[in-house]
Amino acid sequence: MAVRHKHRETGTSVVVYADNYINDIEGEKLEEMCDAFLEKGFKKIVIDFSGTDLVNSIGVSILIGIIEKIKGKGAVVFSGLKDVNFQIFHIVGLTRHIRVYDNEEDALKESASCDGVSL
Amino acid sequence: MSGVDLSLERLLFNLNTLAELGEEITSPKDFTRVVKSSLYMVMGTFSASKGIVFQYDQSDGLFTQIASKGLTDVRGAGLKIGKDAATAIIRNNKPIDLKSADPVIALLGPGREFLERLGARVLAFLIVKDELLGLIAMSDKFSGEDYTLYDYQLLSVMAQHISFSLHSHTLLMRLMYRYNENKGLYENLRRIYYDTIHAFAAAIDAKDAYTKGHSHRVSSYSAAVAREMGWSADDIEGIRISGLLHDIGKIAVDKSIINKASPLTSNECKELNSHPVIGYEILSRIKFPWKGIPMMTRNHHEKVDGSGYPDRLKKSDIPLGARIMALVDAFDAMTTDRPYRPRLSFREAIDEVKDHYNRQFDPEVVRPFISVIRKEVLSEVENPTIVPLMHEHLDPVTLSRILEGFPR
C-alpha cells in the first residue's frame, strides 16, 4: 500500500485518520484498509477528519465507496469534522447515512454502547 | 454545527470541483489517472456510488471502458451503437436520464439494457466539435435524491471539461499512430538504403578478386577508430557508410588495371589514381543524411606530408574522416593479399605504419587506431573488429613487443 493511512485500534473499534489523502484517488486505498479491519473482526470504524482541511469531490466519492464496500459487514461513523466539511457532507447527503461526532473520543464512546449506523 | 445557506455552500463546492477538474485535465499526469480522477470528481459532486467512463471509437462504433468506480467487474465492458445513434447523440448533446423517454435512449438498442445492468441512471456524452469521443454513465445518487435540472446543467459543464481532455488525448494518440506508422516506413526506407549501399560495396569489391570484403573492413575499421576518438553516433554512421563507398570510383577504372600483377604504366597509374575524384563526383550528387561522405571519399589517398592525391592536401587540410580512412585503407591493403604481393604480417604492417608515422599517416589517427587494437587484444571491447580479421593470433605480450618503440 503506497499510502498507509494512520489509524488507532481500541477494543473492537478502530479510528482511521483521513487527513488530506482522502482528496486524491490514492485515498481509495482507505476503502481496502477499512474492509481489511472488518475482516479482522473490528466492529466499528471511526473515520476522523480533524486533520482534513477540506474534503473535495474525490474525497466524497471515496467515502461513498467505503460506505458501499463495508455495507452489511460493520459500521462506520465520522468524527472531527470541520464546519466546512460538515456542510459538504450535508450537501451530498452523507450526513443522512452516517452518524457524525464532534471528536473521535465521543465517537468511540458511542461506539461502545451503540453500533452507530449499521450499513 | 452552525446553520448554513446550503445553496451557497453547494455552489462553492461545485465551483471548487470545476476548478479542480480544470486543473486535473490540464495536468501533465498520465491520461488514465486524469480520467479516473475526473470520474471521481463527477461522482463525488453528485454523490453517485457507481460510475464508468467509456471511450468511443467511431471506426467501429464501440465504446470501451477506460475508468470505473463502484462496479465490481467491468472487464471487457463494451457498448456498440450505430451511426444513426451517434448522429442523434451529437445533435442532442446534453446529458440524459436512462429512464426517460428521450428518443436517443431508443437508439441505443441493446446498449440500453447493458447500461442498466451496470446500474447506470444518467448518461453524459463526451463530444467535441461534432465528434463523439466517449460517455460517462452514472448510477442513482447515494443520497436517494433525484437528479435535478441544475445537476444536468452542471454535469453538462463537467462533461465538456472531460471531453477536452479526451479530445487532446485522442489527437495525441492519432499523432502517435501516424508517428509510429511513419517511423515504420522510415525504418523500411533506411533498410533499403543500407541494403543498396551494401550492394554497391559488394559491386565495388567484386571488380577486384583480391579486395573481396575490403570496403566492409575499411567501413568497420573506420567506425572503430572514430568511436575511439569519441565521435557522435551519427558521425560514426557517416564514416561507416563512407568506408563502404570510398572506392566507388573504381567502377570507372578498367578491371585489368585493378587486377594487374605487374607494375602499372604511367597512364594506368593515372587512371587508377582517378578513382577518388570519380567517387567524389558520383557521391556528391547524392544527398546523404550524414555529412562529409563525398570529401572523405575524395581525400582518402591524401598523406599528411602533402604527397598524396588527388589534392596534395597537408595534415589539417585533409578531412579527419579521410585521414582515418587513409590509415585503415592502407592497413587493410597491407594485411590482405594483393595481385602484386602476398599480405604482410601484422608486425610488418605495424612497422609500415610506424615508418610512415606523421608522413603518410596522421599521429592523431594512428594513436586511437593502436588504442583500438590494444583494447581488442586485451578483450576490453565487446565486438572487436580489427584483431579477429588478422591471420595470426595476437596476445598482449606479442602486441606489446610489436608496438615497442611506437611513438605514444
Side-chain angles (χ1 to χ4, degrees):
Chain A
M1 195 180 287
V3 179
R4 184 76 200 169
H5 293 273
K6 282 190 293 178
H7 68 276
R8 176 165 75 96
E9 296 172 14
T10 169
T12 56
S13 301
V14 60
V15 184
V16 176
Y17 300 93
D19 293 340
N20 288 318
Y21 296 127
I22 197 87
N23 291 332
D24 184 274
I25 53 171
E26 287 296 318
E28 195 173 36
K29 284 163 183 159
L30 197 66
E31 245 185 67
E32 294 153 32
M33 196 174 158
C34 290
D35 200 31
F37 282 129
L38 294 174
E39 289 291 322
K40 279 203 288 189
F42 288 96
K43 304 286 180 205
K44 304 276 183 204
I45 294 173
V46 178
I47 302 180
D48 185 76
F49 293 90
S50 52
T52 311
D53 300 324
L54 179 73
V55 176
N56 67 9
S57 51
I58 293 181
V60 170
S61 179
I62 288 168
L63 289 169
I64 292 172
I66 291 172
I67 294 164
E68 290 280 326
K69 182 127 188 160
I70 64 176
K71 200 183 269 181
K73 295 180 188 171
V76 65
V77 296
F78 292 166
S79 70
L81 283 173
K82 294 184 167 115
D83 271 3
V84 64
N85 288 332
F86 180 83
Q87 288 155 13
I88 288 166
F89 287 1
H90 189 81
I91 291 166
V92 298
L94 280 175
T95 49
R96 261 171 277 163
H97 296 265
I98 302 287
R99 283 193 184 175
V100 178
Y101 297 90
D102 283 347
N103 54 59
E104 63 180 274
E105 293 310 324
D106 285 355
L108 284 169
K109 258 188 263 165
E110 287 294 325
S111 294
S113 59
C114 160
D115 271 357
V117 176
S118 186
L119 296 158
Chain B
M1 301 286 173
S2 61
V4 287
D5 179 349
L6 277 182
S7 61
L8 177 64
E9 293 306 319
R10 180 180 284 275
L11 189 64
L12 287 173
F13 177 66
N14 292 345
L15 279 175
N16 184 51
T17 303
L18 281 176
E20 286 187 333
L21 184 60
E23 200 177 313
E24 188 67 31
I25 60 166
T26 51
S27 76
K29 286 180 202 164
D30 165 64
F31 174 71
T32 313
R33 195 184 164 95
V34 169
V35 174
K36 195 170 179 182
S37 296
S38 303
L39 175 65
Y40 282 31
M41 285 182 192
V42 174
M43 290 173 67
T45 302
F46 301 105
S47 61
S49 55
K50 293 174 186 170
I52 187 164
V53 181
F54 294 95
Q55 187 166 16
Y56 179 67
D57 184 344
Q58 58 181 349
S59 64
D60 55 13
L62 263 177
F63 285 92
T64 310
Q65 74 98 10
I66 50 174
S68 73
K69 177 160 175 60
L71 298 163
T72 47
D73 190 3
V74 286
R75 275 175 301 174
L79 165 68
K80 192 175 171 118
I81 59 164
K83 277 191 178 167
D84 290 349
T87 309
I89 287 164
I90 294 166
R91 204 181 304 122
N92 184 59
N93 198 5
K94 61 177 194 287
I96 46 177
D97 180 349
L98 199 57
K99 288 189 176 160
S100 71
D102 195 302
V104 170
I105 302 293
L107 289 168
L108 292 177
R112 178 185 185 162
E113 277 175 39
F114 167 77
L115 289 164
E116 280 173 347
R117 274 203 307 278
L118 286 180
R121 173 66 193 269
V122 174
L123 309 180
F125 290 95
L126 305 172
I127 297 163
V128 172
K129 291 180 189 166
D130 288 341
E131 188 180 350
L132 179 59
L133 301 168
L135 161 68
I136 301 175
M138 257 190 318
S139 65
D140 276 314
K141 289 187 179 185
F142 168 79
S143 60
E145 292 170 323
D146 245 349
Y147 284 93
T148 63
L149 185 62
Y150 172 78
D151 288 334
Y152 279 97
Q153 285 169 345
L154 181 60
L155 178 58
S156 177
V157 174
M158 295 184 93
Q160 274 176 39
H161 273 64
I162 299 165
S163 299
F164 290 132
S165 173
L166 198 55
H167 185 57
S168 305
H169 179 71
T170 308
L171 289 179
L172 189 67
M173 287 299 106
R174 282 179 194 159
L175 203 62
M176 284 299 288
Y177 177 77
R178 288 263 177 252
Y179 168 76
N180 286 326
E181 204 175 49
N182 286 342
K183 202 174 153 195
L185 289 173
Y186 172 74
E187 288 299 329
N188 279 344
L189 277 177
R190 192 179 154 91
R191 210 170 299 125
I192 292 166
Y193 195 86
Y194 274 83
D195 288 349
T196 309
I197 288 170
H198 278 90
F200 262 119
I204 299 159
D205 292 350
K207 249 203 137 165
D208 179 352
Y210 284 87
T211 56
K212 191 168 181 288
H214 171 70
S215 300
H216 280 92
R217 288 191 296 277
V218 169
S219 165
S220 57
Y221 293 1
S222 299
V225 176
R227 191 179 301 112
E228 182 66 18
M229 293 173 81
W231 283 28
S232 69
D234 204 43
D235 289 342
I236 292 170
E237 205 49 35
I239 200 167
R240 190 188 292 281
I241 298 299
S242 198
L244 285 171
L245 299 174
H246 77 286
D247 273 344
I248 196 166
K250 282 187 179 171
I251 282 176
V253 177
D254 196 287
K255 197 173 177 178
S256 63
I257 298 174
I258 295 171
N259 290 301
K260 194 171 175 185
S262 56
L264 301 179
T265 64
S266 143
N267 275 345
E268 287 170 340
C269 202
K270 205 174 158 191
E271 187 175 338
L272 183 63
N273 289 357
S274 68
H275 80 271
V277 174
I278 295 168
Y280 167 78
E281 281 166 2
I282 294 170
L283 298 179
S284 53
R285 287 177 205 164
I286 299 170
K287 195 169 161 48
F288 286 99
W290 306 278
K291 60 186 179 202
I293 290 181
M295 285 313 285
M296 281 191 259
T297 303
R298 182 183 179 100
N299 295 131
H300 76 274
H301 278 296
E302 301 289 352
K303 298 177 181 177
V304 289
D305 63 2
S307 66
Y309 64 93
D311 300 321
R312 302 182 69 82
L313 298 177
K314 285 194 173 177
K315 194 178 170 175
S316 54
D317 293 331
I318 308 168
L320 185 54
R323 279 180 265 160
I324 294 174
M325 288 195 347
L327 171 65
V328 299
D329 183 39
F331 180 79
D332 184 62
M334 289 188 272
T335 52
T336 48
D337 291 327
R338 293 283 144 151
Y340 46 88
R341 57 136 181 83
R343 67 170 179 266
L344 305 184
S345 69
F346 178 75
R347 175 188 282 277
E348 287 168 330
I350 289 293
D351 284 346
E352 283 290 316
V353 173
K354 216 184 289 181
D355 288 348
H356 295 88
Y357 185 80
N358 211 14
R359 288 195 289 132
Q360 180 174 353
F361 307 119
D362 180 8
E364 283 176 36
V365 170
V366 175
R367 280 193 291 269
F369 175 70
I370 296 296
S371 174
V372 170
I373 292 173
R374 191 176 276 123
K375 284 180 182 174
E376 289 191 6
V377 169
L378 293 170
S379 305
E380 288 176 3
V381 285
E382 270 183 31
N383 298 306
T385 50
I386 305 173
V387 171
L389 298 181
M390 297 300 105
H391 298 272
E392 55 203 283
H393 173 70
L394 288 171
D395 60 70
V397 177
T398 313
L399 181 72
S400 193
R401 280 189 198 132
I402 292 172
L403 297 177
E404 226 164 61
F406 207 97
R408 280 190 176 251

